[in-house]
Structure formats: C-alpha cells, structure tokens
Amino acid sequence: MKERMIIFSAILFIILLVLDLYSFKGVRTLTADLTHQASRRGIHIAFWVFSIGVYLAMGWEFLNFERYRVPGEAHVFFMINSLILMSLFSKLIFVLFHGMEDLSYLAINLYKKFTTSANSVNPEGNTISRGKFLTYLGAGIASVPFGSIAYGMIKGRYDFRVVKETLKFTNLPKAFEGMKVVHISDIHIGSFPLGHPSVEKAVKMINQLDADILLFTGDLVNNLANETDGWLEILGQMKAKVGKYSILGNHDYGDYIQWENKADRNRNLEAVKQANRDMGFDLLLNENRILQKDGEEIALIGVENWGKGRFSKYGDLKKASNGAEQHPFKILMTHDPSHWDGEVLDTDIDLTLSGHTHGMQFGVEIPGLKWSPSQYAYPRWGGLYQEAKQFLYVNRGFGYHAIAGRIGMPPEITLITLARS
C-alpha cells in the first residue's frame, strides 16, 4: 500500500512540476507587456508561492497520512486534495492553450523558412499578437475550474438545499396520504471541521420540514466510530413525528481500514451502530418495521449495504422483507442505488431510497441538462428514477468525502410527500 502511494505521489509531483514550468512560461508571456516591473514580479512570485505551497501540502499529506483517521482532521487532507485538483486542472487547461500559441508560432516560422515569398505571410508582429490571444484565452478559461473549486471549498460544500418531490401511488393506503418523508444520506461527519456551524444549520433545515418519518440511508462516518465524537448531540436533534430510521453504508463497516485484528473491526462497527441509536435512529439491519396509522399499515424495509462490483454485499433483501410481504405498500432503504437494478426491480417494492454516489460532488443540473461524472459508474446517480410503478430516489449526500468541495452538486435534504393517484 505504501509503495503504491510513493509511486502515485512521485508521478503526480512530476506532472505538476512539468505543468508549472510550462505554465510559468505562459505567465511570463502574459506579463511581458506590463510596464510596471513590481506588478510583473508580484504576479510571478504569487504563481510560485501557490505552486510551492501545493507541493509542501502534498508532502505534508504524504508524511502524515495516518493522521487522516484522527477525528476532526480528515477535512485538512480533503482540502489539500482540492488544492491539488485546482492546481492540476487549471494549469492543464492553460498549458493546452499556451501550447497552441507555441505550435502556431512554430508552424508560421517553418512556413516562412520554406517558402520563397515572405510577403505571403502576415507581418510577424500581427502573427505573434494573434498567437498570444490563445494564451490570454487559456488564462480566462483556466480561471473557471480554479474559481469553481475555490467556491466549492469555501461555500459549495456547506450550501445545503432542500429538494421536494411528490410521488403518487395507486396502492398507497388512504391513511398515509400526504405523509412527509425526509430523506438524508452520506453524512460523513468525519469530513466536517469539528463544530462547524453548517451541520447545526442543516439540522434546523431538516426540522423545519416537519417530517413524519426521517430516513437516513447510511455512511454516518468515513471509517471510524470516533469521528462522531462531539457531534452526536447536534445530530440527535433531528426530529420526526412518527420515527427516525437508518441503515448502514459501505463506509460504516470500516472495510477501508487495515485492522490489526477482526475484533477491533467488529468493535468499531458496533460503535457505529450505537452512534446511530444514540442519535435517536432505529437502525434497521436486514429487517423491517410496520408503520401504522388509522388502522392501516405500510412496511419500511432496511437492508445492510449491497453494492455491485468491489463493494460488499452485506444486504439480505429476502431476510429484510420477511413478514412485510402482505403489506400493500413498501418503502426500502438501501445505501447503494445499484441494488435497485440488481435485485429490487424484481420485487413489488414501491419506493426505494438510496445515496452513496454524492453525485461525485461535481456536475451540472439545469433545465434540459443533467450531467455528472458519476453517471459513468452509476446510471442511477442522483434524483428520481422510475420503472413502471416503482420509484427510486438517490439523495446526493449530506456531507462530502475525499475532496473538500461540491461544485454544482450541493449537499441535499430531500422531502418526499406520498400521495394517492
């Protein structure tokens, strides 16, 4: 594992260094016309201060990687990852455009050299001016990922939104008409700076929705139960009139940690389960609950994590559904949306709630366009999906992981109102 990290870090360092050296050449081109020498020098210094700062941060991250698991410190590593991406993408774009200027300049000079009439080409001054335009254009376009990632780090990851959906079902018992289901997923509480006010703000937003039931579809932590230290009181303030229910996500099992022994892993898992309960959630572990109102009933089913590919399959849908078969309406909580296509569509479950993807914390969702890189791994990656009479809703996540930012994919609280059709 450590050898792979060394190789990856070395390759990344070399790529960034090459980009920096060539980018600086472009920066010198952009500042060549500045008559104020101090301004030109200041821009050059700022470029290298930022670049060297990224290298130092990378080195610190590598040397202190084990501190990633210390409660309250994961966000530092995720901030560094965001800075690396900011540097990489913005400079890559700038280099591509500046490189076109150099190629253009080289092509024109080769043409001049091998043609008999120099007059067949525009004067050199005009040619260079047109070429330099590409560098200016590249600088402008490169500012987009730079600014977007900066926004995602500073504000985007804390900019909670409420998404509202009204879903109609022919088989919904009349007593449950208008039932308000608030759905959250992927809290990843260990990613937040300790005591950050955004979490309390989100809890207040949840409570303002006046939920009948509050459903949390897993990933309370990144890896360790002690990430919840100092947070349980705030998270426990989430309210619902009928009840609060939760399941486990893939990160909750501690499977991404190299444990010294199985007993330590199991103790951590039990502590994560207890943290769910300490927050006031009824944790469903391949089991179900029957919700009653005015003499009518619906079934709420919760499975452990079930994911395609490399993700563990602890979920047992058959076991979880035992005793709920005869109920006319069923809601399923399953962390990974790939479970819907893998097993759920072969059942009579009416509404499935999932999370897991985070919408990859990056994307575009505007009228007429819904896109995220997440869709190349998960066809059902965010929002509402329907097949015949069955619905799947994929929450885009409460928290964040790996990258301390959200760009075009804000943290989500979902309000689903059940209706009869």
Side-chain angles (χ1 to χ4, degrees):
M1 180 71 175
K2 194 170 183 179
E3 289 181 358
R4 289 201 299 269
M5 280 189 60
I6 292 173
I7 294 171
F8 175 78
S9 299
I11 292 173
L12 183 59
F13 176 83
I14 292 170
I15 291 172
L16 285 173
L17 181 60
V18 171
L19 286 175
D20 277 336
L21 293 173
Y22 196 68
S23 293
F24 185 64
K25 176 179 173 297
V27 169
R28 292 181 63 183
T29 299
L30 293 176
T31 58
D33 296 333
L34 288 177
T35 55
H36 197 272
Q37 187 175 358
S39 298
R40 184 165 63 248
R41 185 180 296 121
I43 293 172
H44 294 174
I45 291 173
F47 175 89
W48 284 113
V49 165
F50 174 78
S51 299
I52 293 172
V54 171
Y55 297 138
L56 292 175
M58 285 175 58
W60 182 90
E61 183 177 41
F62 176 77
L63 294 173
N64 295 276
F65 186 74
E66 289 303 316
R67 293 186 63 81
Y68 158 68
R69 300 184 179 93
V70 176
E73 295 201 13
H75 76 99
V76 177
F77 292 85
F78 297 165
M79 286 283 287
I80 291 172
N81 292 343
S82 298
L83 288 173
I84 293 171
L85 285 182
M86 178 189 289
S87 181
L88 179 65
F89 286 127
S90 58
K91 289 172 182 174
L92 181 61
I93 291 172
F94 179 59
V95 160
L96 288 174
F97 280 85
H98 180 57
M100 284 191 284
E101 177 194 340
D102 285 348
L103 288 173
S104 173
Y105 185 73
L106 177 63
I108 288 170
N109 276 279
L110 287 173
Y111 181 80
K112 283 182 177 181
K113 182 175 181 180
F114 292 105
T115 54
T116 55
S117 175
N119 293 330
S120 61
V121 183
N122 289 330
E124 185 176 329
N126 292 337
T127 300
I128 294 175
S129 177
R130 285 197 299 270
K132 186 181 287 187
F133 169 76
L134 291 170
T135 299
Y136 280 103
L137 181 62
I141 295 176
S143 69
V144 174
F146 189 94
S148 297
I149 295 174
Y151 173 84
M153 293 167 62
I154 297 168
K155 183 173 173 61
R157 57 178 163 155
Y158 305 129
D159 191 20
F160 287 88
R161 67 170 176 173
V162 175
V163 178
K164 299 180 180 181
E165 296 280 355
T166 297
L167 303 182
K168 295 183 178 182
F169 302 90
T170 58
N171 58 328
L172 180 71
K174 188 174 181 180
F176 292 89
E177 171 84 30
M179 184 178 195
K180 293 198 289 186
V181 179
V182 172
H183 174 210
I184 59 173
S185 193
D186 301 87
I187 292 177
H188 286 285
I189 197 61
S191 298
F192 288 88
L194 281 175
H196 197 278
S198 63
V199 176
E200 186 174 4
K201 171 191 170 186
V203 169
K204 290 179 179 178
M205 291 174 66
I206 289 169
N207 290 340
Q208 287 169 358
L209 297 175
D210 194 29
D212 290 303
I213 58 173
L214 173 60
L215 305 182
F216 168 43
T217 50
D219 275 2
L220 174 60
V221 298
N222 295 329
N223 293 289
L224 300 176
N226 62 10
E227 295 169 30
T228 63
D229 291 351
W231 287 112
L232 292 180
E233 183 178 354
I234 294 172
L235 293 173
Q237 293 172 10
M238 291 183 283
K239 299 176 182 178
K241 289 181 286 189
V242 175
K244 304 189 298 185
Y245 303 89
S246 66
I247 58 172
L248 298 177
N250 58 299
H251 281 269
D252 292 322
Y253 294 90
D255 287 345
Y256 308 116
I257 298 287
Q258 292 183 340
W259 300 98
E260 291 186 8
N261 54 69
K262 190 174 181 179
D264 287 344
R265 184 259 188 192
N266 290 339
R267 276 191 291 270
N268 183 75
L269 176 56
E270 290 305 313
V272 172
K273 293 177 182 178
Q274 188 58 46
N276 274 265
R277 297 173 182 126
D278 290 342
M279 291 160 52
F281 283 89
D282 182 357
L283 179 64
L284 304 186
L285 301 169
N286 291 327
E287 51 192 325
N288 63 75
R289 300 290 182 266
I290 306 305
L291 307 182
Q292 299 178 334
K293 186 177 181 182
D294 299 337
E296 296 186 295
E297 297 178 337
I298 63 173
L300 175 63
I301 303 167
V303 297
E304 296 193 53
N305 192 70
W306 190 104
K308 282 189 174 181
R310 62 187 178 88
F311 294 104
S312 300
K313 291 180 174 61
Y314 299 109
D316 187 334
L317 184 56
K318 184 177 180 180
K319 177 183 177 183
S321 302
N322 186 33
E325 298 89 351
Q326 73 273 21
H327 291 83
F329 186 85
K330 303 177 184 67
I331 300 174
L332 171 69
M333 294 191 293
T334 181
H335 179 70
D336 191 320
S338 66
H339 194 193
W340 200 55
D341 290 289
E343 288 189 340
V344 179
L345 285 176
D346 293 330
T347 71
D348 63 349
I349 290 170
D350 302 280
L351 172 61
T352 300
L353 301 178
S354 298
H356 182 62
T357 71
H358 304 197
M360 208 167 280
Q361 297 166 212
F362 173 73
V364 179
E365 291 190 85
I366 57 176
L369 177 61
K370 179 181 176 180
W371 177 87
S372 166
S374 186
Q375 69 191 48
Y376 303 114
Y378 292 92
R380 329 272 191 178
W381 61 268
L384 185 65
Y385 302 88
Q386 181 179 4
E387 294 288 342
K389 295 182 179 181
Q390 292 177 282
F391 288 92
L392 166 70
Y393 192 89
V394 184
N395 181 285
R396 297 163 182 85
F398 182 104
Y400 52 91
H401 190 259
I403 303 299
R406 282 179 172 269
I407 305 166
M409 199 63 57
E412 177 181 346
I413 300 162
T414 312
L415 172 61
I416 296 175
T417 303
L418 303 183
R420 287 162 53 88
S421 59

